[in-house]
Amino acid sequence: MYITLTNAAVAHLGNKISINADLIATVHDGFATRENGLTENVTYVFCPPHGTWEVSESLAQIVSILNAQ
């Protein structure tokens, strides 16, 4: 099953991304410092071996989606 989230990375800001829920290893929130020096709160979704996605949805939202599957 796939979940659809909103990309928070600057180069893809606001674009939707669908991630295979079976590949998600961890989800955590934190701050991302952008090139302009500003920081923003994002949620990190780690999908090994592909890497980590920065998304706009909160940690609680993502966990709720994953637990509903």
Side-chain angles (χ1 to χ4, degrees):
M1 174 164 281
Y2 284 81
I3 63 171
T4 300
L5 302 170
T6 308
N7 203 317
V10 174
H12 304 284
L13 187 62
N15 293 334
K16 294 295 183 181
I17 181 169
S18 291
I19 299 173
N20 184 335
D22 293 334
L23 297 179
I24 297 173
T26 61
V27 179
H28 68 94
D29 56 2
F31 293 97
T33 302
R34 303 304 184 199
E35 288 183 21
N36 61 7
L38 296 176
T39 59
E40 63 182 318
N41 193 14
V42 298
T43 305
Y44 297 98
V45 179
F46 179 54
C47 305
H50 308 290
T52 302
W53 297 94
E54 293 179 11
V55 299
S56 299
E57 288 77 12
S58 71
L59 173 66
Q61 288 173 304
I62 297 171
V63 171
S64 179
I65 294 167
L66 292 171
N67 285 336
Q69 295 184 25

CSV table of all heavy atoms in Angstrom, one decimal:
chain,number,residue,atom,x,y,z
A,1,MET,N,0.8,-1.2,0.0
A,1,MET,CA,0.0,0.0,0.0
A,1,MET,C,0.9,1.2,0.0
A,1,MET,O,1.9,1.3,0.6
A,1,MET,CB,-0.9,0.0,1.2
A,1,MET,CG,-1.7,1.3,1.3
A,1,MET,SD,-3.1,1.2,2.4
A,1,MET,CE,-4.3,0.4,1.4
A,2,TYR,N,0.4,2.3,-0.7
A,2,TYR,CA,1.1,3.5,-0.8
A,2,TYR,C,0.4,4.6,0.0
A,2,TYR,O,-0.8,4.6,0.1
A,2,TYR,CB,1.2,4.0,-2.2
A,2,TYR,CG,2.2,3.2,-3.1
A,2,TYR,CD1,1.9,2.0,-3.6
A,2,TYR,CD2,3.5,3.8,-3.3
A,2,TYR,CE1,2.9,1.3,-4.3
A,2,TYR,CE2,4.4,3.1,-4.0
A,2,TYR,CZ,4.1,1.8,-4.5
A,2,TYR,OH,5.0,1.2,-5.3
A,3,ILE,N,1.2,5.5,0.6
A,3,ILE,CA,0.6,6.7,1.3
A,3,ILE,C,1.1,7.9,0.5
A,3,ILE,O,2.2,7.9,0.0
A,3,ILE,CB,1.0,6.8,2.7
A,3,ILE,CG1,2.5,6.9,3.0
A,3,ILE,CG2,0.5,5.6,3.5
A,3,ILE,CD1,2.9,7.2,4.4
A,4,THR,N,0.3,8.9,0.4
A,4,THR,CA,0.6,10.1,-0.4
A,4,THR,C,0.8,11.2,0.6
A,4,THR,O,0.0,11.5,1.5
A,4,THR,CB,-0.5,10.5,-1.4
A,4,THR,OG1,-0.6,9.4,-2.3
A,4,THR,CG2,-0.1,11.7,-2.2
A,5,LEU,N,2.0,11.9,0.5
A,5,LEU,CA,2.4,12.9,1.4
A,5,LEU,C,2.8,14.2,0.6
A,5,LEU,O,2.9,14.1,-0.7
A,5,LEU,CB,3.6,12.5,2.3
A,5,LEU,CG,3.3,11.2,3.1
A,5,LEU,CD1,4.6,10.7,3.8
A,5,LEU,CD2,2.2,11.5,4.2
A,6,THR,N,3.1,15.3,1.2
A,6,THR,CA,3.5,16.5,0.6
A,6,THR,C,5.0,16.8,0.8
A,6,THR,O,5.4,16.9,1.9
A,6,THR,CB,2.7,17.7,1.1
A,6,THR,OG1,1.3,17.4,1.0
A,6,THR,CG2,2.9,18.9,0.3
A,7,ASN,N,5.7,16.9,-0.3
A,7,ASN,CA,7.2,17.1,-0.3
A,7,ASN,C,7.5,18.4,0.4
A,7,ASN,O,6.8,19.4,0.0
A,7,ASN,CB,7.7,17.0,-1.7
A,7,ASN,CG,9.2,16.6,-1.7
A,7,ASN,OD1,10.0,17.1,-0.9
A,7,ASN,ND2,9.6,15.7,-2.6
A,8,ALA,N,8.4,18.5,1.3
A,8,ALA,CA,8.8,19.7,1.9
A,8,ALA,C,10.2,20.2,1.5
A,8,ALA,O,10.7,21.2,2.0
A,8,ALA,CB,8.7,19.6,3.5
A,9,ALA,N,10.9,19.4,0.7
A,9,ALA,CA,12.2,19.8,0.2
A,9,ALA,C,12.1,21.0,-0.7
A,9,ALA,O,11.1,21.0,-1.5
A,9,ALA,CB,12.9,18.6,-0.5
A,10,VAL,N,13.0,21.9,-0.6
A,10,VAL,CA,12.9,23.2,-1.4
A,10,VAL,C,12.7,22.9,-2.9
A,10,VAL,O,11.8,23.6,-3.5
A,10,VAL,CB,14.1,24.1,-1.1
A,10,VAL,CG1,14.1,25.3,-2.0
A,10,VAL,CG2,14.1,24.5,0.4
A,11,ALA,N,13.4,22.0,-3.4
A,11,ALA,CA,13.4,21.8,-4.9
A,11,ALA,C,12.0,21.2,-5.3
A,11,ALA,O,11.7,21.3,-6.5
A,11,ALA,CB,14.5,20.9,-5.3
A,12,HIS,N,11.3,20.6,-4.4
A,12,HIS,CA,10.0,19.9,-4.8
A,12,HIS,C,8.9,20.4,-3.9
A,12,HIS,O,7.9,19.6,-3.7
A,12,HIS,CB,10.2,18.4,-4.7
A,12,HIS,CG,11.4,17.9,-5.5
A,12,HIS,ND1,11.3,17.8,-6.9
A,12,HIS,CD2,12.6,17.6,-5.2
A,12,HIS,CE1,12.4,17.4,-7.4
A,12,HIS,NE2,13.3,17.2,-6.4
A,13,LEU,N,9.0,21.5,-3.3
A,13,LEU,CA,8.1,22.0,-2.3
A,13,LEU,C,6.6,22.0,-2.8
A,13,LEU,O,6.3,22.5,-3.8
A,13,LEU,CB,8.4,23.4,-1.9
A,13,LEU,CG,7.7,24.0,-0.7
A,13,LEU,CD1,7.9,23.2,0.6
A,13,LEU,CD2,8.1,25.5,-0.5
A,14,GLY,N,5.8,21.3,-2.0
A,14,GLY,CA,4.4,21.2,-2.3
A,14,GLY,C,4.0,20.1,-3.3
A,14,GLY,O,2.8,19.9,-3.4
A,15,ASN,N,4.9,19.5,-3.9
A,15,ASN,CA,4.6,18.4,-4.8
A,15,ASN,C,4.2,17.2,-4.0
A,15,ASN,O,4.7,16.9,-2.9
A,15,ASN,CB,5.8,18.0,-5.7
A,15,ASN,CG,6.1,19.1,-6.7
A,15,ASN,OD1,5.2,19.9,-7.1
A,15,ASN,ND2,7.3,19.1,-7.1
A,16,LYS,N,3.2,16.4,-4.5
A,16,LYS,CA,2.8,15.2,-3.8
A,16,LYS,C,3.8,14.1,-4.1
A,16,LYS,O,4.3,14.0,-5.2
A,16,LYS,CB,1.4,14.8,-4.2
A,16,LYS,CG,0.3,15.8,-3.8
A,16,LYS,CD,0.2,15.8,-2.3
A,16,LYS,CE,-0.9,16.7,-1.9
A,16,LYS,NZ,-1.1,16.8,-0.4
A,17,ILE,N,4.0,13.2,-3.2
A,17,ILE,CA,4.8,12.0,-3.3
A,17,ILE,C,4.1,10.8,-2.7
A,17,ILE,O,3.5,10.9,-1.6
A,17,ILE,CB,6.2,12.2,-2.7
A,17,ILE,CG1,7.1,11.0,-2.9
A,17,ILE,CG2,6.1,12.6,-1.2
A,17,ILE,CD1,8.5,11.2,-2.5
A,18,SER,N,4.1,9.7,-3.4
A,18,SER,CA,3.5,8.5,-2.9
A,18,SER,C,4.7,7.5,-2.5
A,18,SER,O,5.6,7.3,-3.3
A,18,SER,CB,2.6,7.8,-3.9
A,18,SER,OG,1.5,8.6,-4.1
A,19,ILE,N,4.6,7.0,-1.3
A,19,ILE,CA,5.7,6.2,-0.8
A,19,ILE,C,5.1,4.8,-0.4
A,19,ILE,O,4.0,4.8,0.2
A,19,ILE,CB,6.3,6.8,0.5
A,19,ILE,CG1,6.9,8.2,0.1
A,19,ILE,CG2,7.3,5.9,1.1
A,19,ILE,CD1,7.4,8.9,1.3
A,20,ASN,N,5.7,3.8,-0.8
A,20,ASN,CA,5.3,2.4,-0.4
A,20,ASN,C,5.5,2.3,1.1
A,20,ASN,O,6.6,2.3,1.7
A,20,ASN,CB,6.2,1.4,-1.1
A,20,ASN,CG,5.8,0.0,-0.8
A,20,ASN,OD1,5.2,-0.3,0.2
A,20,ASN,ND2,6.1,-0.9,-1.7
A,21,ALA,N,4.3,2.1,1.8
A,21,ALA,CA,4.3,2.1,3.3
A,21,ALA,C,5.2,1.0,3.8
A,21,ALA,O,5.7,1.1,4.9
A,21,ALA,CB,2.9,2.0,3.8
A,22,ASP,N,5.3,-0.1,3.1
A,22,ASP,CA,6.1,-1.3,3.6
A,22,ASP,C,7.6,-0.9,3.6
A,22,ASP,O,8.3,-1.7,4.3
A,22,ASP,CB,5.9,-2.5,2.7
A,22,ASP,CG,4.5,-3.0,2.7
A,22,ASP,OD1,3.8,-2.8,3.8
A,22,ASP,OD2,4.0,-3.6,1.8
A,23,LEU,N,8.0,0.1,2.9
A,23,LEU,CA,9.5,0.5,2.9
A,23,LEU,C,9.8,1.4,4.0
A,23,LEU,O,11.0,1.7,4.2
A,23,LEU,CB,9.8,1.1,1.6
A,23,LEU,CG,9.7,0.1,0.4
A,23,LEU,CD1,10.1,0.9,-0.9
A,23,LEU,CD2,10.5,-1.1,0.5
A,24,ILE,N,8.9,2.0,4.7
A,24,ILE,CA,9.2,3.0,5.7
A,24,ILE,C,9.7,2.4,7.0
A,24,ILE,O,9.1,1.5,7.6
A,24,ILE,CB,7.9,3.9,6.1
A,24,ILE,CG1,7.4,4.6,4.8
A,24,ILE,CG2,8.2,4.8,7.2
A,24,ILE,CD1,6.1,5.4,5.0
A,25,ALA,N,10.9,2.8,7.3
A,25,ALA,CA,11.6,2.2,8.5
A,25,ALA,C,11.4,3.1,9.7
A,25,ALA,O,11.1,2.6,10.8
A,25,ALA,CB,13.1,2.0,8.3
A,26,THR,N,11.5,4.4,9.6
A,26,THR,CA,11.3,5.3,10.7
A,26,THR,C,10.7,6.6,10.2
A,26,THR,O,10.8,7.0,9.0
A,26,THR,CB,12.6,5.7,11.4
A,26,THR,OG1,13.5,6.3,10.4
A,26,THR,CG2,13.3,4.5,11.9
A,27,VAL,N,10.0,7.3,11.1
A,27,VAL,CA,9.4,8.6,10.9
A,27,VAL,C,9.8,9.5,12.1
A,27,VAL,O,9.6,9.0,13.3
A,27,VAL,CB,7.9,8.5,10.7
A,27,VAL,CG1,7.3,9.9,10.5
A,27,VAL,CG2,7.5,7.6,9.6
A,28,HIS,N,10.3,10.7,11.9
A,28,HIS,CA,10.6,11.6,13.0
A,28,HIS,C,10.5,13.0,12.5
A,28,HIS,O,10.6,13.3,11.4
A,28,HIS,CB,11.9,11.3,13.7
A,28,HIS,CG,13.1,11.6,12.8
A,28,HIS,ND1,13.8,12.8,12.9
A,28,HIS,CD2,13.7,10.9,11.8
A,28,HIS,CE1,14.7,12.8,12.0
A,28,HIS,NE2,14.8,11.6,11.4
A,29,ASP,N,10.3,13.9,13.5
A,29,ASP,CA,10.2,15.3,13.1
A,29,ASP,C,11.5,16.0,13.6
A,29,ASP,O,12.2,15.5,14.4
A,29,ASP,CB,8.9,16.0,13.6
A,29,ASP,CG,8.8,15.9,15.1
A,29,ASP,OD1,9.6,15.3,15.8
A,29,ASP,OD2,7.7,16.4,15.6
A,30,GLY,N,11.7,17.1,12.9
A,30,GLY,CA,12.9,17.9,13.3
A,30,GLY,C,12.9,19.2,12.5
A,30,GLY,O,11.9,19.5,11.8
A,31,PHE,N,14.0,19.9,12.6
A,31,PHE,CA,14.2,21.1,11.9
A,31,PHE,C,15.1,21.0,10.7
A,31,PHE,O,16.1,20.3,10.8
A,31,PHE,CB,14.7,22.2,12.8
A,31,PHE,CG,13.7,22.6,13.9
A,31,PHE,CD1,13.8,22.0,15.1
A,31,PHE,CD2,12.7,23.5,13.6
A,31,PHE,CE1,12.9,22.3,16.1
A,31,PHE,CE2,11.7,23.8,14.6
A,31,PHE,CZ,11.8,23.2,15.8
A,32,ALA,N,14.8,21.6,9.6
A,32,ALA,CA,15.6,21.7,8.4
A,32,ALA,C,16.1,23.1,8.2
A,32,ALA,O,15.2,24.0,8.2
A,32,ALA,CB,14.8,21.2,7.2
A,33,THR,N,17.4,23.3,8.0
A,33,THR,CA,17.9,24.6,7.8
A,33,THR,C,18.1,24.8,6.3
A,33,THR,O,18.7,24.0,5.6
A,33,THR,CB,19.3,24.8,8.5
A,33,THR,OG1,19.1,24.6,9.9
A,33,THR,CG2,19.8,26.2,8.2
A,34,ARG,N,17.5,25.8,5.8
A,34,ARG,CA,17.5,26.1,4.3
A,34,ARG,C,18.7,26.9,3.9
A,34,ARG,O,19.3,27.5,4.8
A,34,ARG,CB,16.2,26.7,3.9
A,34,ARG,CG,14.9,25.9,4.2
A,34,ARG,CD,15.0,24.5,3.7
A,34,ARG,NE,13.8,23.8,3.9
A,34,ARG,CZ,13.7,22.5,3.9
A,34,ARG,NH1,14.8,21.8,3.6
A,34,ARG,NH2,12.6,21.9,4.1
A,35,GLU,N,18.9,27.0,2.6
A,35,GLU,CA,20.1,27.8,2.1
A,35,GLU,C,20.0,29.3,2.5
A,35,GLU,O,21.1,29.9,2.7
A,35,GLU,CB,20.2,27.7,0.6
A,35,GLU,CG,20.6,26.3,0.1
A,35,GLU,CD,20.8,26.3,-1.4
A,35,GLU,OE1,20.9,27.3,-2.0
A,35,GLU,OE2,20.7,25.1,-1.9
A,36,ASN,N,18.8,29.8,2.8
A,36,ASN,CA,18.7,31.2,3.1
A,36,ASN,C,18.9,31.4,4.6
A,36,ASN,O,18.7,32.5,5.2
A,36,ASN,CB,17.4,31.8,2.7
A,36,ASN,CG,16.2,31.0,3.3
A,36,ASN,OD1,16.3,30.2,4.2
A,36,ASN,ND2,15.0,31.4,2.8
A,37,GLY,N,19.2,30.3,5.4
A,37,GLY,CA,19.4,30.4,6.8
A,37,GLY,C,18.2,30.2,7.7
A,37,GLY,O,18.3,30.0,8.9
A,38,LEU,N,17.0,30.2,7.1
A,38,LEU,CA,15.8,30.0,7.8
A,38,LEU,C,15.7,28.5,8.2
A,38,LEU,O,16.1,27.6,7.4
A,38,LEU,CB,14.6,30.4,7.0
A,38,LEU,CG,14.5,31.9,6.7
A,38,LEU,CD1,13.3,32.2,5.8
A,38,LEU,CD2,14.4,32.7,8.0
A,39,THR,N,15.0,28.2,9.3
A,39,THR,CA,14.8,26.8,9.7
A,39,THR,C,13.3,26.6,9.7
A,39,THR,O,12.5,27.6,9.9
A,39,THR,CB,15.3,26.5,11.1
A,39,THR,OG1,14.7,27.3,12.0
A,39,THR,CG2,16.8,26.6,11.1
A,40,GLU,N,12.9,25.4,9.4
A,40,GLU,CA,11.4,25.1,9.4
A,40,GLU,C,11.3,23.7,9.9
A,40,GLU,O,12.2,22.8,9.8
A,40,GLU,CB,10.8,25.2,8.0
A,40,GLU,CG,11.3,24.3,6.9
A,40,GLU,CD,10.7,24.6,5.6
A,40,GLU,OE1,9.5,24.8,5.5
A,40,GLU,OE2,11.4,24.6,4.6
A,41,ASN,N,10.2,23.4,10.5
A,41,ASN,CA,9.8,22.1,11.1
A,41,ASN,C,9.3,21.2,9.9
A,41,ASN,O,8.4,21.6,9.2
A,41,ASN,CB,8.8,22.2,12.2
A,41,ASN,CG,8.7,21.0,13.0
A,41,ASN,OD1,9.5,20.1,12.9
A,41,ASN,ND2,7.6,20.9,13.8
A,42,VAL,N,9.9,20.1,9.8
A,42,VAL,CA,9.5,19.1,8.8
A,42,VAL,C,9.5,17.7,9.4
A,42,VAL,O,10.0,17.5,10.5
A,42,VAL,CB,10.5,19.0,7.6
A,42,VAL,CG1,10.5,20.4,6.8
A,42,VAL,CG2,11.9,18.6,8.0
A,43,THR,N,8.9,16.8,8.7
A,43,THR,CA,8.9,15.4,9.2
A,43,THR,C,9.7,14.6,8.2
A,43,THR,O,9.6,14.7,7.0
A,43,THR,CB,7.4,14.8,9.2
A,43,THR,OG1,6.6,15.7,10.1
A,43,THR,CG2,7.4,13.4,9.8
A,44,TYR,N,10.6,13.8,8.8
A,44,TYR,CA,11.5,12.9,8.0
A,44,TYR,C,10.9,11.5,7.9
A,44,TYR,O,10.6,10.9,8.9
A,44,TYR,CB,12.9,12.9,8.6
A,44,TYR,CG,13.5,14.3,8.6
A,44,TYR,CD1,13.5,15.1,9.8
A,44,TYR,CD2,14.2,14.8,7.5
A,44,TYR,CE1,14.1,16.3,9.8
A,44,TYR,CE2,14.9,16.0,7.5
A,44,TYR,CZ,14.8,16.8,8.7
A,44,TYR,OH,15.4,18.0,8.7
A,45,VAL,N,10.9,11.0,6.7
A,45,VAL,CA,10.4,9.6,6.5
A,45,VAL,C,11.6,8.9,5.8
A,45,VAL,O,12.0,9.2,4.7
A,45,VAL,CB,9.2,9.6,5.5
A,45,VAL,CG1,8.7,8.2,5.3
A,45,VAL,CG2,8.0,10.5,6.1
A,46,PHE,N,12.1,7.9,6.6
A,46,PHE,CA,13.3,7.1,6.1
A,46,PHE,C,12.8,5.8,5.5
A,46,PHE,O,12.1,5.0,6.1
A,46,PHE,CB,14.2,6.9,7.3
A,46,PHE,CG,15.4,6.1,7.0
A,46,PHE,CD1,16.3,6.5,5.9
A,46,PHE,CD2,15.7,4.9,7.7
A,46,PHE,CE1,17.4,5.8,5.6
A,46,PHE,CE2,16.9,4.2,7.3
A,46,PHE,CZ,17.7,4.6,6.3
A,47,CYS,N,13.3,5.6,4.2
A,47,CYS,CA,12.9,4.5,3.5
A,47,CYS,C,14.2,3.8,2.9
A,47,CYS,O,14.6,4.1,1.8
A,47,CYS,CB,12.0,4.8,2.3
A,47,CYS,SG,10.5,5.7,2.8
A,48,PRO,N,14.8,3.0,3.7
A,48,PRO,CA,16.1,2.4,3.2
A,48,PRO,C,15.8,1.4,2.0
A,48,PRO,O,14.7,0.8,2.0
A,48,PRO,CB,16.6,1.6,4.4
A,48,PRO,CG,15.5,1.4,5.3
A,48,PRO,CD,14.5,2.5,5.0
A,49,PRO,N,16.7,1.3,1.1
A,49,PRO,CA,17.9,1.9,0.9
A,49,PRO,C,17.8,3.2,0.1
A,49,PRO,O,18.8,3.8,-0.3
A,49,PRO,CB,18.7,0.9,0.1
A,49,PRO,CG,17.7,0.3,-0.8
A,49,PRO,CD,16.5,0.2,0.1
A,50,HIS,N,16.6,3.7,-0.1
A,50,HIS,CA,16.4,4.9,-1.0
A,50,HIS,C,16.7,6.2,-0.3
A,50,HIS,O,17.0,7.2,-1.1
A,50,HIS,CB,14.9,4.9,-1.5
A,50,HIS,CG,14.6,3.6,-2.1
A,50,HIS,ND1,15.1,3.1,-3.3
A,50,HIS,CD2,13.8,2.6,-1.6
A,50,HIS,CE1,14.6,1.9,-3.5
A,50,HIS,NE2,13.8,1.6,-2.5
A,51,GLY,N,16.6,6.3,1.0
A,51,GLY,CA,17.0,7.6,1.6
A,51,GLY,C,15.8,8.2,2.4
A,51,GLY,O,14.9,7.5,2.8
A,52,THR,N,15.9,9.4,2.7
A,52,THR,CA,15.0,10.1,3.6
A,52,THR,C,14.2,11.2,2.8
A,52,THR,O,14.8,12.0,2.0
A,52,THR,CB,15.7,10.8,4.8
A,52,THR,OG1,16.5,9.8,5.5
A,52,THR,CG2,14.8,11.5,5.7
A,53,TRP,N,13.0,11.3,3.0
A,53,TRP,CA,12.1,12.3,2.4
A,53,TRP,C,11.7,13.3,3.5
A,53,TRP,O,11.4,12.9,4.6
A,53,TRP,CB,10.8,11.6,1.9
A,53,TRP,CG,11.1,10.7,0.8
A,53,TRP,CD1,11.2,9.3,0.9
A,53,TRP,CD2,11.2,11.0,-0.6
A,53,TRP,NE1,11.5,8.8,-0.3
A,53,TRP,CE2,11.5,9.7,-1.3
A,53,TRP,CE3,11.2,12.1,-1.3
A,53,TRP,CZ2,11.7,9.7,-2.6
A,53,TRP,CZ3,11.4,12.0,-2.7
A,53,TRP,CH2,11.6,10.8,-3.3
A,54,GLU,N,11.7,14.6,3.1
A,54,GLU,CA,11.2,15.6,4.0
A,54,GLU,C,9.8,15.9,3.6
A,54,GLU,O,9.5,16.2,2.4
A,54,GLU,CB,12.0,16.9,3.8
A,54,GLU,CG,13.4,16.8,4.3
A,54,GLU,CD,14.2,18.1,4.1
A,54,GLU,OE1,13.5,19.2,3.8
A,54,GLU,OE2,15.4,18.1,4.3
A,55,VAL,N,8.8,15.8,4.5
A,55,VAL,CA,7.4,16.0,4.1
A,55,VAL,C,6.8,17.0,5.1
A,55,VAL,O,7.3,17.3,6.2
A,55,VAL,CB,6.6,14.7,4.1
A,55,VAL,CG1,7.2,13.8,3.1
A,55,VAL,CG2,6.6,14.1,5.5
A,56,SER,N,5.6,17.6,4.7
A,56,SER,CA,4.9,18.6,5.4
A,56,SER,C,4.0,18.1,6.5
A,56,SER,O,3.7,18.8,7.5
A,56,SER,CB,4.1,19.5,4.5
A,56,SER,OG,5.0,20.2,3.5
A,57,GLU,N,3.5,16.9,6.3
A,57,GLU,CA,2.6,16.3,7.3
A,57,GLU,C,3.3,16.1,8.6
A,57,GLU,O,4.5,15.8,8.6
A,57,GLU,CB,2.0,15.0,6.7
A,57,GLU,CG,1.0,15.1,5.6
A,57,GLU,CD,1.6,15.4,4.3
A,57,GLU,OE1,2.9,15.3,4.1
A,57,GLU,OE2,0.9,15.8,3.3
A,58,SER,N,2.5,16.2,9.7
A,58,SER,CA,3.1,16.0,11.0
A,58,SER,C,3.4,14.5,11.3
A,58,SER,O,2.9,13.6,10.6
A,58,SER,CB,2.2,16.5,12.1
A,58,SER,OG,1.0,15.7,12.2
A,59,LEU,N,4.3,14.3,12.2
A,59,LEU,CA,4.6,12.9,12.7
A,59,LEU,C,3.3,12.2,13.1
A,59,LEU,O,3.1,11.1,12.7
A,59,LEU,CB,5.6,13.0,13.9
A,59,LEU,CG,5.9,11.7,14.6
A,59,LEU,CD1,6.6,10.8,13.6
A,59,LEU,CD2,6.7,12.0,15.8
A,60,ALA,N,2.4,12.9,13.8
A,60,ALA,CA,1.2,12.3,14.3
A,60,ALA,C,0.3,11.9,13.1
A,60,ALA,O,-0.3,10.8,13.1
A,60,ALA,CB,0.4,13.2,15.2
A,61,GLN,N,0.2,12.7,12.1
A,61,GLN,CA,-0.6,12.4,10.9
A,61,GLN,C,-0.1,11.2,10.2
A,61,GLN,O,-0.8,10.3,9.8
A,61,GLN,CB,-0.6,13.6,9.9
A,61,GLN,CG,-1.4,14.8,10.4
A,61,GLN,CD,-1.2,15.9,9.4
A,61,GLN,OE1,-0.1,16.4,9.1
A,61,GLN,NE2,-2.3,16.4,8.9
A,62,ILE,N,1.2,11.1,10.0
A,62,ILE,CA,1.8,10.0,9.3
A,62,ILE,C,1.6,8.7,10.1
A,62,ILE,O,1.3,7.6,9.5
A,62,ILE,CB,3.3,10.2,9.0
A,62,ILE,CG1,3.4,11.4,8.0
A,62,ILE,CG2,4.0,9.0,8.3
A,62,ILE,CD1,4.8,11.9,7.8
A,63,VAL,N,1.9,8.7,11.3
A,63,VAL,CA,1.7,7.5,12.2
A,63,VAL,C,0.3,7.1,12.1
A,63,VAL,O,0.0,5.9,12.0
A,63,VAL,CB,2.2,7.8,13.6
A,63,VAL,CG1,1.8,6.6,14.5
A,63,VAL,CG2,3.7,8.0,13.6
A,64,SER,N,-0.7,8.0,12.2
A,64,SER,CA,-2.1,7.6,12.1
A,64,SER,C,-2.4,7.0,10.8
A,64,SER,O,-3.1,6.0,10.7
A,64,SER,CB,-2.9,8.9,12.3
A,64,SER,OG,-4.3,8.6,12.2
A,65,ILE,N,-1.9,7.5,9.7
A,65,ILE,CA,-2.1,6.9,8.4
A,65,ILE,C,-1.5,5.5,8.3
A,65,ILE,O,-2.2,4.5,7.8
A,65,ILE,CB,-1.5,7.8,7.2
A,65,ILE,CG1,-2.2,9.1,7.1
A,65,ILE,CG2,-1.4,7.0,5.9
A,65,ILE,CD1,-1.4,10.1,6.3
A,66,LEU,N,-0.3,5.3,8.8
A,66,LEU,CA,0.3,4.0,8.8
A,66,LEU,C,-0.4,3.0,9.7
A,66,LEU,O,-0.5,1.8,9.3
A,66,LEU,CB,1.8,4.1,9.2
A,66,LEU,CG,2.7,4.9,8.3
A,66,LEU,CD1,4.1,5.1,8.9
A,66,LEU,CD2,2.9,4.1,6.9
A,67,ASN,N,-0.9,3.4,10.8
A,67,ASN,CA,-1.6,2.5,11.7
A,67,ASN,C,-2.9,2.1,11.2
A,67,ASN,O,-3.5,1.1,11.6
A,67,ASN,CB,-1.7,3.2,13.1
A,67,ASN,CG,-0.4,3.1,13.9
A,67,ASN,OD1,0.5,2.3,13.6
A,67,ASN,ND2,-0.2,4.0,14.8
A,68,ALA,N,-3.5,2.9,10.3
A,68,ALA,CA,-4.8,2.6,9.8
A,68,ALA,C,-4.8,1.5,8.7
A,68,ALA,O,-5.8,1.0,8.3
A,68,ALA,CB,-5.5,3.9,9.2
A,69,GLN,N,-3.6,1.2,8.3
A,69,GLN,CA,-3.4,0.2,7.2
A,69,GLN,C,-3.6,-1.2,7.7
A,69,GLN,O,-3.2,-1.6,8.7
A,69,GLN,CB,-2.1,0.4,6.5
A,69,GLN,CG,-2.0,1.7,5.8
A,69,GLN,CD,-0.7,1.8,5.0
A,69,GLN,OE1,-0.1,0.8,4.6
A,69,GLN,NE2,-0.3,3.0,4.8
